[in-house]
Amino acid sequence: MQQFKYHTERLRASGLRPTKQRLALCKILFNRKETFHFTIEKLKQIAARDIKRKISLATLYNTVYAFKKRGYLKEISLKGNQAFFDTNTKNHHHFYDEDTAELVDIKDENVVIGKIPKTPSGKKISGIEITFRIARDNHSQKKQINQ
């Protein structure tokens, strides 16, 4: 019951009515032990599987972007117009697996930044987040095929 109240307050703070569909989305997004990375398409698939009531694509977009605007979700843009959302809104780094299209957190202590460029006049660095693109190493497979 406490989670229900928490989600209701979060929705209202985001300017959204706490409908059954939106409360179900909150459960998918925030009732997790681990950080959740998702695209709107992935969220749509999970919602279709887990929620008995149909949720429109417009409701998904409106809810996700209202949560982003309020600071409950972070948007991470990759590969042109593909956007991921992250329930961990603190500055942190990621691996992006190009083979599986998954985003994975990297602990800050595992990334060391050596030299930071001088910022333009009148500007300061407000945060650093690095995304490492990773893919299967097919180089060794190509060698074996050519031999």
Side-chain angles (χ1 to χ4, degrees), residues 133-145:
R133 293 176 180 273
I134 58 174
R136 201 172 359 293
D137 182 7
N138 291 329
H139 186 70
S140 60
Q141 289 176 335
K142 288 178 187 173
K143 270 186 184 176
Q144 291 173 353
I145 292 170

Side-chain angles (χ1 to χ4, degrees), residues 1-12 18-20 22-33 67:
M1 192 64 162
Q2 190 66 14
Q3 286 288 5
F4 179 79
K5 183 179 177 187
Y6 179 72
H7 295 323
T8 299
E9 290 171 1
R10 184 173 272 195
L11 285 162
R12 286 190 175 130
T19 63
K20 288 181 181 180
R22 288 186 181 128
L23 287 166
L25 281 177
C26 284
K27 187 176 177 184
I28 291 170
L29 294 173
F30 303 114
N31 283 10
R32 298 172 174 270
K33 291 181 182 180
F67 282 158

